[in-house]
Amino acid sequence: MKLTVWTYEGPPHVGAMRVATGMTGLHYVLHAPQGDTYADLLFTMIERRDHRPPVTFTTFQARDLGADTAHLFKDACQRAYDRFQPEAIIVGASCTAELIQDDPGGMAETMGLPVPTIPLELPSYQRKENFGADETFFQIVRTLARPAERTAQITANLIGPTGLGFRHRDDIAEVTALLSDMGISVNAVAPMTSSPSDIARLGAAHFNVLMYPETAETAARWMERELGLPYSKVVPIGVGATRDFVAEVADLAGVAPYLDDSRLRLPWYSKSVDSTYLTGKRVFLFGDGTHVKAAARIARDEMGFEVVGLGCYNREMARDIRAVAKGFGVAPLITDDYLEVERTIEELSPEMILGTQMERHIGKRLGIPCAVISAPVHVQDFPARYSPQMGIEGANVIFDTWVHPLVMGLEEHLLTMFREDFEFHDAAGPSHHGGKAAPRVEDVDGGPAPQTPREYLEPEEAADLVPASTVSVIWLPAAEKELKKIPFFVRGKARRNTETFAAERGVSEISVDTLYEAKAHYAR
Amino acid sequence: MTELPRLAETGGCRNTPILKQRGQHQVFCGLTGIIWLHRKMQDAFFLVVGSRTCAHLLQSAAGVMIFAEPRFGTAILEETDLAGLADAQEELDRVVAELLSRRPDIRQLFLVGSCPSEVIKIDLQRAAERLSETHAPHVRILNFSGSGIETTFTQGEDACLASMVPVLPQTEARELLLVGALPDVVEEQAVSLLEQMGIGPIRVLPAPRADSDLAVGKNTVFVLTQPFLGDTHAALERRGARHLPAPFPFGEEGTTAWLRVIAEEFGVDAETFDRVTAAPRARARKAVSQASEALRGKSVFFFPDSQLEIPLARFLTRECGMEAIEVGAPFIHKGVVGPDLDLLAEGPTLAEGQDVDLQLDRCRAARPDLTVCGLGLANPLEAEGLATKWAIELVFTPVHFYEQAGDLAGLFSRPVRRADLLKVEAAE
């Protein structure tokens, strides 16, 4: 048993639902108890879909367990076929049905339905949502895709987008445009937008664009082997990655590389002087492997941040992420334990988090700005506007998204200069974020005071404090007071640097001099 | 005493034949109740023994992480637990010890059974008894099932409250017990109205903390504030307590009828009853009549969800002027909702359980002005041009008693008004 508070991924059958819901003409018959139908709301509420997911749940109850749940499954399967007339059916079990071992795949096969029925084996107690999506798409492709004559024109399949995907809807449009600029058409986008008959003719493309390794890598490898379709390895998130992607695709397609970067703004926005304040901002990255890998490169090479830590929650990408972390000289964090991620962030006290909706909450609690770069998704991750992550527009969107939570350059200076101002004080926060500015609390100067007990600090100040057990040096009152003059968004860094500096020199008490010696030491 | 509620002229629905179909259900499981119960019981932790699906449900239904570290969690079963390589009871001991050392503020721990834990028959009662011995007196450990093979949505609260009844201390005192987890503001209003009539002492199940003076015995009379508490009702009767059947306190009429049943039991005179209720009744009537303007003459169709359907159909038809086409409920417990059925005029189809596809067919054919349904169905039906009210809001929003009667009507009228308000289609 593993104690879990929040989970980054759902169970594997939710991954299968993402594949089924993205497609058309496919139906998923899922042997599952009634409570599992909650998963429909992921699609109808979070993604705001206007149709129910194409899933029939058998919704067996306790009283059925003694009797005949197999019969229940067959009935549900037959009725689903009669009502929805799908081109193909996928069948499987959720975690509870896996335990009663009814073998939905075997039963469906004996029913002699006039369409392909594809059994799914998704071990609920070992694997998770991304595996479920990857395996389901692979089984569908393996069953339905046949070698086909290549299209006369150069075409590619875009594979990986699913229902409930992080910006998949807009990434499809962006990648389609990138290819189109090089004279490459799209043969099929799958699983999202495809029907079983579209899957059958995936082999007509000249190559695959693997948009999301999380959900389609197994299928990509199979198609490479069985259908002779090579696939792209670069995921075009960020300026550098988009350029590399164009080069790779040109190579796969045998055409000249071409990128229309007339609408690309990230490089200039990043170079323009007002972005100087981004230099060396310490960022921590966490999310799914693909997005973290791309974000790390953007953070360092395109934004000028310092990556102080990174990791992913999906073990399938652990190897890639370890390699990336090595390149950045940081320790990789491969975990799906939310509390461990929180502890790591607390220890590293970055100036910004690039994470998931879960890290956004950690950031809220610790007073660290956060931008969301990856699933798990939230209703906010399905904006009405066009908002891709990939390609040219994706890079522009990422620049805006990442800068938005930060206090901007000039404002940062104003906060530093007019720290005692009633508006520009520490706790005021970025002015473009709405919310009423908290009034400054006057300091009552009552002479030397002991170190402020944690519970009397503002939450964001308390968050700056390193847990007491790790502090082996004492802040003298004057130094403590001086530290408070440093703006809140860099105070955590100043405190940590000073303590490290003191500890390295065997200094047990930090004075104002120590603080400024440390500042000089770390000056860049 | 003031006039009794009119019984439905054509006779109530108590003996109306009930449509029972067996097919796919589209409902939450009982684990969902943890989302409001953990806010209500401030020193309680809910540990689900289940799968990743359970954890994912709680997270998704909770609107994704409102609280940094909530007082609920899941002990996720892994392959080793299923293969019998790890002893479930020992594993539970370890997980509970880990949890309680992290959270010393916890005084009540509920071990919550799930579909998988029940299928593999993990004996949570034994675990709760053993762990209680280990962690008493600081922490009280109980167990109940929120599994989707046994419970539907709000039945989780029922199972939780029922699990607390056997361990309540015995009392000989004549006390009134209000049963059901209500938002604090609503609970305070109810207690205040009853106290003004001189009724007391009043206890509430669940109490906000473990160390309350809640007790039960043969002189206890209890009244339910929620219509889904059938098992708790039975457990209290086993302890000798006596149930006061009453319509549920939704709307002005429901609240008055509910209060009157209690007032009669405690011998409150008509003058006192009127003095206490007159002003809030008048306010409630006014608020409902304003908020229900958009609802008059409109039709409503209930999919089964929270088990509030029958009392709400009574409220909407009698106080808001709506016509009910179908009233579906996961279960119909006549001992609990009988008084509401008596007041609901014959006419609507009463349905228990569901075959969601067939029910959707009926709903589409009827084209009601308002459909009350779960989150999985709401947007798809909106896309078909049907105004919907998602039912989960009814258990998350203060809707009971006089002062909320207008808000309750407003919850239903807002989608109808909104449908009239929006001009977003292309010009014709």
Side-chain angles (χ1 to χ4, degrees), chain B residues 260-308:
Chain B
R260 189 191 312 280
V261 167
I262 303 169
E264 275 169 6
E265 168 69 24
F266 283 83
V268 175
D269 62 76
E271 197 193 331
T272 309
F273 188 86
D274 287 343
R275 178 173 49 76
V276 173
T277 58
R281 280 183 81 173
R283 277 199 299 275
R285 274 192 187 145
K286 183 158 174 266
V288 170
S289 81
Q290 281 168 358
S292 61
E293 229 163 82
L295 298 176
R296 305 212 167 266
K298 300 268 166 66
S299 58
V300 60
F301 190 110
F302 282 91
F303 279 80
D305 196 75
S306 61
Q307 280 186 237
L308 298 177

Side-chain angles (χ1 to χ4, degrees), chain B residues 144-145 150-152 154-166 179 205 222 224 226-239 307 331 333 336:
Chain B
F144 70 89
S145 168
E150 302 219 296
T151 61
T152 301
T154 50
Q155 276 185 303
E157 175 177 330
D158 187 24
C160 174
L161 300 192
S163 79
M164 300 168 79
V165 173
V179 187
L205 177 72
F222 71 92
L224 304 179
Q226 298 281 24
F228 42 74
L229 299 172
D231 285 356
T232 311
H233 167 273
L236 284 165
E237 286 191 333
R238 278 197 293 277
R239 290 291 305 269
Q307 280 186 237
F331 298 94
H333 185 322
V336 174

Side-chain angles (χ1 to χ4, degrees), chain A residues 100-402:
Chain A
I100 58 179
Q101 300 182 327
D102 273 340
D103 183 21
M107 283 190 290
E109 217 167 294
T110 62
M111 290 174 62
L113 293 172
V115 293
T117 48
I118 304 164
L120 301 174
E121 296 283 346
L122 306 175
S124 306
Y125 298 90
Q126 294 168 25
R127 309 304 295 266
K128 287 173 280 189
E129 179 178 334
N130 280 333
F131 167 83
D134 183 75
E135 172 70 12
T136 302
F137 183 51
F138 165 57
Q139 292 299 342
I140 292 171
V141 169
R142 196 175 74 155
T143 310
L144 301 177
R146 291 284 164 267
E149 196 179 322
R150 298 272 184 267
T151 53
Q153 208 191 355
I154 301 173
T155 57
N157 301 315
L158 309 188
I159 60 170
T162 64
L164 210 67
F166 185 76
R167 308 293 169 85
H168 291 191
R169 175 195 74 192
D170 298 340
D171 284 348
I172 292 171
E174 197 64 24
V175 174
T176 303
L178 286 179
L179 296 181
S180 162
D181 285 351
M182 283 192 274
I184 303 165
S185 312
V186 170
N187 178 58
V189 180
M192 189 125 109
T193 79
S194 275
S195 65
S197 41
D198 295 328
I199 301 283
R201 25 171 300 275
L202 284 176
H206 293 232
F207 65 101
N208 279 324
V209 171
L210 175 57
M211 291 175 67
Y212 309 102
E214 270 79 3
T215 49
E217 186 160 2
T218 309
R221 287 178 193 279
W222 184 86
M223 285 189 269
E224 182 174 55
R225 206 169 54 238
E226 301 295 327
L227 305 178
L229 289 184
Y231 65 94
S232 61
K233 312 289 191 297
V234 179
V235 176
I237 300 179
V239 178
T242 300
R243 294 193 193 284
D244 291 353
F245 173 80
V246 166
E248 185 186 24
V249 162
D251 193 39
L252 287 171
V255 299
Y258 173 77
L259 178 67
D260 174 7
D261 57 7
S262 56
R263 288 177 301 108
L264 176 62
R265 299 190 188 91
L266 183 145
W268 168 242
Y269 273 46
S270 214
K271 272 185 199 156
S272 66
V273 290
D274 55 282
S275 291
T276 312
Y277 75 101
L278 299 175
T279 312
K281 279 237 184 273
R282 306 171 67 257
V283 296
F284 177 81
L285 290 80
F286 198 80
D288 69 30
T290 295
H291 285 87
V292 165
K293 205 166 137 181
R297 179 172 175 188
I298 301 169
R300 183 185 61 191
D301 299 346
E302 298 168 23
M303 302 295 278
F305 293 155
E306 180 192 351
V307 174
V308 294
L310 58 83
C312 71
Y313 56 76
N314 49 338
R315 262 169 213 289
E316 294 87 350
M317 293 290 283
R319 190 199 297 212
D320 286 43
I321 288 299
R322 287 206 181 92
V324 173
K326 201 169 173 208
F328 279 75
V330 296
L333 178 66
I334 315 291
T335 183
D336 62 352
D337 183 344
Y338 167 81
L339 298 173
E340 194 180 342
V341 177
E342 186 179 57
R343 270 196 303 278
T344 307
I345 292 176
E346 217 163 351
E347 274 162 28
L348 292 171
S349 60
E351 289 162 271
M352 185 184 191
I353 307 167
L354 300 170
T356 73
Q357 292 290 343
M358 316 263 249
E359 283 68 45
R360 203 166 61 88
H361 281 262
I362 295 174
K364 242 193 223 166
R365 213 170 70 70
L366 300 179
I368 303 171
C370 177
V372 173
I373 60 164
S374 154
V377 289
H378 183 275
V379 68
Q380 288 180 347
D381 299 318
F382 295 90
R385 66 180 182 278
Y386 182 58
S387 190
Q389 298 288 291
M390 292 185 178
I392 297 298
E393 191 57 21
N396 295 337
V397 166
I398 285 172
F399 182 90
D400 287 348
T401 310
W402 292 13

Side-chain angles (χ1 to χ4, degrees), chain B residues 148-229:
Chain B
I149 54 176
E150 302 219 296
T151 61
T152 301
F153 194 18
T154 50
Q155 276 185 303
E157 175 177 330
D158 187 24
C160 174
L161 300 192
S163 79
M164 300 168 79
V165 173
V167 297
L168 289 177
Q170 185 76 27
T171 179
E172 296 303 310
R174 175 167 163 78
E175 292 181 340
L176 174 65
L177 181 62
L178 307 184
V179 187
L182 294 180
D184 294 342
V185 53
V186 173
E187 189 177 297
E188 282 157 20
Q189 283 172 21
V191 170
S192 158
L193 283 168
L194 292 165
E195 280 176 350
Q196 286 174 52
M197 294 182 204
I199 297 168
I202 301 167
R203 313 284 181 208
V204 179
L205 177 72
R209 302 198 163 272
D211 54 1
S212 71
D213 45 9
L214 195 58
V216 68
K218 64 181 190 316
N219 292 317
T220 305
V221 288
F222 71 92
V223 59
L224 304 179
T225 58
Q226 298 281 24
F228 42 74
L229 299 172

